[in-house]
């Protein structure tokens, strides 16, 4: 920084006539570092928040002592000039000197003026201080960005160019992105931006709510804020599937088709069905819509697929009545028609007299059977269409403990409750948070092999390649790659919990060859090898001890648990905690170890609680009996196990077990069979809530489609 020094000034004390024996009076002489006299110091252009400096030398130009010296600044901008050095408090003899270090750190733009006062009892001097303060000339290109309408949970990116059109370097003190659903991505901006230079900042938008959202990209430089506005509109994707001949339109507009089509909507949507020539509407896949000509979908953040079924009109009618308090599906096959008609609520199917008709039923809940004008065989009945009407009733019932059922994207495989009793579910298609009543709170497209919930309801996700921490609203906090030892948690299989969170927010992942741990900020702390086994279970107790499953080397069947301190120090191994393999481990609210495992035709449960719990079941199965366990906030356990061989569908049972080992209730689900196909559910994970609710997630194989499935149960 250029500093200009002007003429010398010194002030000496007045004295009488000088005799030869009297020393010259003390005087203050001020010069710059090169010895040139100075009465003014001028600091060149300096950015607000940055600094420039100068050095002055103060000498005693007389023979008498000078001191003690005081040094101070005064004037409107005195606080912008900082004084240091060796002069303050010093007394200078004849010919001696001291130094003053001046620092100009402006707080406002413009010319900053002050006076440096150097004083002693016998003499004083002043130096004029002038500083020229600038602020960076930064701006964004574009100055704002509107992402437009985006599907909830789907990300889009925009790149902003940050330009420095000023004459001095601009410090990049901070870069921040604010607003729900907006996040900062990669970029090229460093700590400083040279004059005439530019750098890029990437911003992503991932709407989590319907309608308009706003935010800002902000750069802090030298005490100034530079903003670029952000905007996006969250919308729900609705896909329409048309079976038969007919047209579907929407209000608001966006869908108008006679086949499959899709649209994005930010509010309630009403679909209107118009049958084609000689056709009639049978019904919608939304049970509440029945066979009405219109179907209204309330605003929601979750994507939806709606099927409208049309059939050719005929003189006969097959009237299907849905009974009971659960949802289900009925499929009607008409002789000579290649595609069946699907009903998700009461419906009437036109037919021709003497036409052969087959009726199938499916539900993820309880199946109460088929009754009416047809010959019944399990989940199937058949009849010959009469000249008039055939009435058939299909009953679907909830178990007394069943709370609600949701169909979600295929591929769901992991679930955990948070502290508010909301349920987080994840899979290959993404992650969703569901309220205690089953409504979608938010959805994102981040894939999940396994997930767990930690402090402040933060969510930790093993994507298969990375560990990602989300806040309770689904926004990404940090992302780190998996350690090589923690890679390999299977994306298939049942009841695989390969990620765990400690009370302090540290996270551990069990992979094919070992376990790795990261602290709450995502910094890696350690990884340890574990011999290759088919085990991936991991849990963390209240002291932060990481526990991981491994095959017992002596039996090659039972499960051992190896343990590591938060610092990665190996602790004693818990041997034979479960009799056989294919198991999982967890801890209850007190940090006690809970295990489940399976063998050929066997299922095992062990709870190392104050009142130990042990269950050994023999199941008619030619293979491993898949089973899993969850700890409930009420001190109870939920244990789920299959009841036989798994083909496409599973028969299964969930048991609620108290801390003393009693079973207040059990719930059994069996596949629904017919001569044409089987339907039902396949559990993949189980979770327990703070209030004692149980959630099971997996796949539902219905008559028409396969989808993800979530079902919850009250205490």
């Amino acid at each position: 920084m250029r500093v200009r020094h002007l003429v010398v000034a010194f002030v000496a004390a007045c004295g009488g006539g000088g005799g030869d024996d009297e020393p010259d009076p003390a005087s203050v002489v001020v010069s710059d570092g090169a010895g040139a006299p100075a009465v003014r110091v001028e600091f060149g252009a300096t950015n607000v928040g940055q600094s420039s400096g100068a050095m002055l030398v103060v000498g005693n130009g007389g023979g008498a002592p000078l001191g003690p010296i005081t040094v101070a600044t005064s004037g409107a901008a005195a606080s912008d000039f900082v004084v240091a050095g060796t002069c303050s408090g010093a007394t200078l003899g004849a010919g001696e000197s001291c130094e003053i270090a001046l620092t100009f750190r402006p707080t406002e733009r413009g010319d900053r003026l002050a006076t440096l006062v150097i004083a002693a009892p016998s003499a004083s001097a002043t130096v004029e201080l002038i500083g020229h303060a600038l602020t960076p000339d930064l701006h964004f290109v574009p100055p704002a960005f509107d992402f437009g309408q985006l599907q909830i949970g789907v990300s889009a990116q925009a790149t902003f160019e940050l330009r420095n059109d000023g004459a001095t370097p601009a410090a990049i003190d901070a870069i921040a992105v604010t607003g729900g659903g907006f996040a900062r991505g990669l970029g090229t901006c460093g700590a400083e931006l040279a004059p005439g230079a530019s750098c890029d900042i990437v911003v992503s938008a991932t709407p989590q709510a319907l309608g308009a959202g706003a935010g800002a990209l902000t750069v802090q430089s030298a005490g100034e804020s530079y903003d670029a506005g952000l905007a996006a509109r969250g919308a729900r994707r609705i896909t329409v599937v048309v079976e038969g001949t007919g047209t579907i339109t929407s209000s608001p507009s966006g869908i108008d088709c006679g086949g499959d089509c899709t649209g994005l909507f930010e509010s309630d949507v009403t679909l209107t069905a118009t049958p084609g020539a000689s056709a009639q509407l049978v019904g919608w896949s939304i049970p509440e819509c029945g066979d009405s000509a219109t179907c209204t979908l309330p605003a929601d953040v979750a994507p939806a697929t709606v099927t409208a079924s049309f059939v050719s009109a005929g003189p006969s009618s097959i009237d299907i009545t849905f009974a009971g308090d659960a949802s289900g599906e009925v499929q009607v096959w008409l002789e000579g028609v290649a595609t069946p008609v699907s009903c998700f609520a009461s419906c009437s199917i036109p037919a021709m007299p003497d036409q052969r008709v087959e009726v199938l039923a499916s539900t993820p809940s309880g199946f109460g059977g088929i009754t009416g004008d047809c010959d019944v065989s399990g989940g199937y009945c058949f009849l010959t269409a009469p000249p008039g009407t055939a009435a058939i009733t299909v009953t679907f019932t909830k178990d007394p403990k069943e709370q609600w059922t949701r169909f979600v994207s295929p591929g769901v495989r992991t679930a955990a409750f948070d502290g508010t009793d909301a349920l987080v579910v994840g899979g290959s298609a993404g992650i969703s948070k569901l309220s205690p009543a089953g409504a979608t709170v938010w959805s994102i497209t981040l894939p999940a092999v396994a997930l767990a919930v930690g402090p402040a309801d933060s969510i930790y996700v093993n994507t298969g390649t990375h560990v990602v921490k989300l806040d309770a609203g689904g926004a990404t906090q940090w992302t780190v790659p998996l350690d090589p030892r923690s890679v390999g948690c299977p994306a298939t299989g049942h009841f695989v919990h390969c990620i765990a969170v400690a009370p302090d927010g540290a996270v551990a992942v069990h992979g094919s060859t070992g376990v790795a741990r990261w602290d709450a900020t995502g910094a890696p702390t350690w990884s340890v090898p574990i011999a290759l086994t088919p085990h991936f279970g991991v849990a963390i107790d209240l002291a932060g001890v990481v526990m991981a499953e491994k095959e017992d080397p002596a039996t090659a069947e039972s499960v051992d648990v190896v343990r590591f301190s938060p610092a990665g120090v190996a602790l004693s191994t818990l041997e034979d905690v479960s009799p056989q393999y294919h198991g999982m481990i967890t801890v209850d609210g007190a940090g006690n170890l809970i295990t489940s495992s399976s063998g050929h035709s066997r299922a095992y449960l062990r709870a190392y609680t104050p009142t130990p719990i042990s269950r050994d079941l023999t199941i008619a199965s030619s293979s491993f009996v898949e089973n899993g366990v969850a700890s409930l906030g009420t001190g109870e356990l939920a244990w789920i196990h299959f009841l036989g061989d798994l083909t496409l569908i599973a028969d299964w049972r969930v048991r609620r077990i108290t801390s003393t080992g009693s079973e207040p209730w059990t719930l059994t689900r069996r596949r629904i069979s017919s001569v044409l196909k089987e339907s039902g559910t396949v559990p993949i994970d189980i979770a327990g809530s703070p209030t004692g609710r149980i959630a099971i997630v997996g796949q539902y194989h219905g008559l028409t489609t396969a989808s993800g499935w979530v079902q919850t149960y009250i205490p």
Side-chain angles (χ1 to χ4, degrees), residues 144-160 175-186 201-218 228-235 443-444 469-471 473-478:
F145 190 83
D146 189 342
F147 289 87
Q149 192 178 61
L150 296 176
Q151 181 179 341
I152 296 291
V154 176
S155 298
Q157 290 187 336
T159 299
F160 287 85
I175 301 174
V177 173
T178 56
F182 298 103
R184 179 186 171 190
L186 299 176
I201 302 172
V202 176
V203 175
S204 66
T206 310
Q208 299 172 7
L210 296 175
L217 167 62
T218 301
L230 304 172
R233 302 193 318 279
S443 293
I444 59 175
K469 181 182 178 181
L470 309 174
D471 66 15
T476 299
Q477 302 300 292
W478 49 256

Side-chain angles (χ1 to χ4, degrees), residues 233 261 328 385 443 450 493 597 640 670 712:
R233 302 193 318 279
C261 57
S443 293
S597 65
I640 185 171
R670 296 193 181 273
T712 61

Side-chain angles (χ1 to χ4, degrees), residues 413-599:
R413 59 169 297 99
T414 179
F417 282 98
D418 70 10
T420 69
D421 236 32
L423 180 65
V424 183
V425 299
S428 58
I431 300 171
S432 297
K433 176 179 276 192
L434 307 178
S435 73
T440 302
V441 179
W442 52 258
S443 293
I444 59 175
T445 55
L446 182 72
V449 172
L451 60 79
V453 172
D457 296 330
S458 54
I459 302 159
Y460 296 74
V461 183
N462 178 356
T463 69
T465 58
H466 291 76
V467 177
V468 180
K469 181 182 178 181
L470 309 174
D471 66 15
T476 299
Q477 302 300 292
W478 49 256
T479 300
V480 295
L482 286 173
D483 179 274
R485 289 176 175 144
S486 64
V487 174
C489 182
T492 59
H494 305 266
F495 314 112
V496 179
H497 285 195
C498 57
I499 188 169
V501 183
D504 66 354
V507 58
V509 176
H510 191 178
S512 298
T513 60
V515 175
R517 180 187 183 274
W518 297 261
D519 67 18
T521 68
T525 54
W526 51 260
S527 71
V528 294
I530 299 176
L532 180 61
T533 71
H535 299 282
F536 295 90
V538 64
I540 303 179
D541 68 14
L542 300 185
V545 173
V546 177
M547 299 180 285
E549 288 183 310
K550 69 180 295 287
E551 186 178 88
D552 181 81
T555 66
E557 286 198 355
S558 61
V559 172
D560 294 346
V561 168
V562 292
R563 303 186 306 143
F564 304 93
S565 74
V569 177
L571 306 176
S572 59
T573 296
L574 306 178
E575 297 184 351
D576 300 326
V577 298
S578 202
Q580 288 193 302
Y581 29 75
H582 284 251
M584 64 173 287
I585 61 174
T586 187
V587 293
D588 64 11
N592 299 307
L593 179 65
I594 315 293
T595 76
S596 68
S597 65
S598 65

Side-chain angles (χ1 to χ4, degrees), residues 246-344:
T247 300
I248 304 298
T249 57
S250 67
S251 177
S253 61
I255 288 177
D256 185 353
C257 61
D260 299 350
C261 57
T262 186
L264 292 174
F265 300 91
E266 302 175 26
S267 61
D268 295 355
V269 178
T270 297
L271 302 176
T272 300
T274 303
S278 302
Q280 71 179 59
L281 175 69
V282 174
W284 305 84
S285 58
I286 306 298
E288 294 78 9
C289 297
D291 59 359
S292 171
T294 60
C295 182
T296 298
L297 283 69
D300 197 344
V301 297
T305 298
V306 182
T307 300
S309 298
F310 300 92
V311 296
S312 299
S316 296
S317 177
I318 312 300
D319 290 352
I320 307 294
T321 299
F322 279 48
D325 58 355
S327 60
E329 175 188 5
V330 169
Q331 194 175 75
V332 180
W333 290 81
L334 300 172
E335 183 182 16
V337 179
T339 304
V341 178
S342 296
C343 297
F344 297 86

Side-chain angles (χ1 to χ4, degrees), residues 381-408:
C381 80
F382 58 91
L383 70 150
T384 299
T389 299
I392 298 171
T393 298
V394 184
T395 302
F396 305 114
T397 59
K398 288 183 178 179
D399 182 275
K401 297 298 182 181
E402 181 184 334
Q403 184 187 21
W404 50 259
T405 298
R406 278 287 306 271
F407 297 109
V408 294

